[in-house]
Amino acid sequence: MNLQTDEEKALIESAYREMLASCQKTLSTNDISQIHRAFNLANEAHKGVRRKSGEPYILHPIAVARIVSAEIGLGTKSIISSILHDVVEDTDYTIEDMERLFGSKIASIIDGLTKINADVFDANSSKQAENFRKIILTLADDIRVILIKLADRLHNMRTLSSMPIDKQMKIASETIYLYAPLAHRLGLYAIKSELEDLSLKYRYPEIYQDISEKLNATEKRRIQQINHFSLPIIQKLEENEIKFEISGRPKSIYSIWKKMQNKNVSFEEIYDLLAIRIIFEPYPHIPEKTQCWNIYSIITDIYKPKPDRLRDWISTPKANGYEALHCTVMGDQGQWVEVQIRSRRMDEIAERGFAAHWKYKEMDTSNQEHELDRWIKRIKETLENTQENALEFLDEFKLNLFASEIAAFTPKGEIRSLPKGATVLDFAYDIHTEIGDHAIGAKVNHKLVPLSHVLSGGDQVEVITAASHRPTPNMLEFVTTAKAKAKIKDALRADAKLQADSGRVQFEKICRQHNVEPNRNDMLQELMATYSTATIDELHTLLGLNRISPDRVSRIVKKYSPNSGGFMRSIFGSNKNTAGKSKTSERSPYIAASCCSPLPGDEVVGVRSADNLIVVHKATCPECIRLMAQYGDRIVPIKWSGQEQLQYLTRVEIKGIDRMGMINDITGVITRQFTVNISKFHIENNDGVFVGYVELYIQDSRHLKALISNLQQIKGIDSVRRMDAPSD
Ligand code: MN
């Protein structure tokens, strides 16, 4: 057995002391003695167990507790739960032991964490989605479970290098797919960007390395520029007797990479790498908002602001509680600099999110329900009574995770907050399921509109209902909230069940007439093939809805009647199935994903499909990230090897000022200089400015880059960029 060496004992002891010392909250002696009890128990329970890296296991729960206390700012119960978070999962202790030793609250947090843990590394995708679902469900229970889970994930990401590569890819994909957005939604900015950076580091080590080297190489110059830029601001703020801190803020590696991808530019072309943050100590009795704008006014007296880059998150905070004033101004050397202005309180909320938010909420006397409370409440509602399968549920939830919000009013002036893009029907379901199920239209600001009408912030909405109305499948197309979708599906399912029941009764009657068993397999096969249904339930439903003629069904059933010879034919028919299958083995094992059309030379990743093909996606493809997170065991790390002979259809967008001969010049470059085949050329002229799309077959991304740069040199061309996924 591997026992702890003296050296390890000292290491564990000092990690534990440091964790206690880093705690943001002041701990009472009672708190400390309880934490101590938890530590002794966990240390004893995990004794002799090591992590993949070889270090004693107990260092992991200590590190999680440290993140929870120092970086998220949670208190004693959360620290204890963190220390004990793997004890029930990995040792002989039970939840009952935890309850007996540490009380019911801590036991229920540990129980939540253990349940989430259970199948993290399960290869089965639906189980994995189910696991995600459990994580989200816990939001409704005790948010501390989620916060500790995030800390657990963060520490696992920090120590991911000791895992095998496919596990790294899987864990990193899950992280970017779910955990980083979740951290963002809960307002934990620092944790969110660290998760993003670490995920990038393991998914695409070369890209990560490249950007971080470039950042390091330019750091010195950036610091000089920031210092030069900040100097006059510091002087003015001091003259105005404002107490403040100012800091240069490097953009995260992930956000730089995102920008390079989205704008299709190189590292050198990103202009807003410079950013500073001003955190001030507010004067009492003057609204913080006023003080923010005062600082804004001081800064813009010195530097010219970029008008379209002003972001006021003070008058309307973000849905995750974020408050700040952002502006971009031009420094005296012609460079753009982003300036963030925040009070001390706003800064704490921005960095520590939920925990800080609650702390200030307790101090807030206005007793107003915060956006975040509303969001959690809505999640709870969504989770009630939904029968979605786990994967569908997860996709829905993801959509809601990113949505920004608008506020609409009921006729009585009650505020409902909804994701941007929400329609009248979303609003109806938000108020009540009954109202949604029977809604036929609405008056928005006293004008009649259809259910599909998209709401704007500040709209007053009066829903019109009709008792006889029921949801129809097309309604799914014009709702955006998970709640409305789930409720419409519930209603459709309930209706379908009714129709299927009545159809089944009809069908059984027909079978009785012809003296045929209603579950006779060959007959059902023929019926399903005739009406192209996947299940017999669907067939019943069609019959119940009168979509198919009972007479025709009766004729088919009759063939299987004992006094008819017709069934021989259908037996022969079933032979066909086996013929098609042998073809699969001749196919190439790799195909390019249609969602992102990767080219040789692009950063790519492979995902094994259900029929054993390896589908190649671009590294940035959101569909691919989703697949990797949900089907982690199917990731195939791949790279292009040398020159691929195939050509790839790709689409290039060209913008510029139209002139005589422009089209000629463009096609000239493409066909003469590059001898590539144009498959489509579409151009639109709008008052002298044109936008065009060219679809062409090209060998690899290096050729494409050369082509783009040659096109850019044509006179009058403003921008040329590669578009993903040629449509139709
Ligand atoms: Mn853990």
Side-chain angles (χ1 to χ4, degrees), residues 51 57 60-61 64 85-86 117 149 152-153 156:
R51 303 194 83 207
Y57 194 86
H60 166 65
V64 174
H85 83 269
D86 282 331
N117 254 344
K149 184 67 202 167
D152 184 30
R153 175 52 60 123
N156 286 334

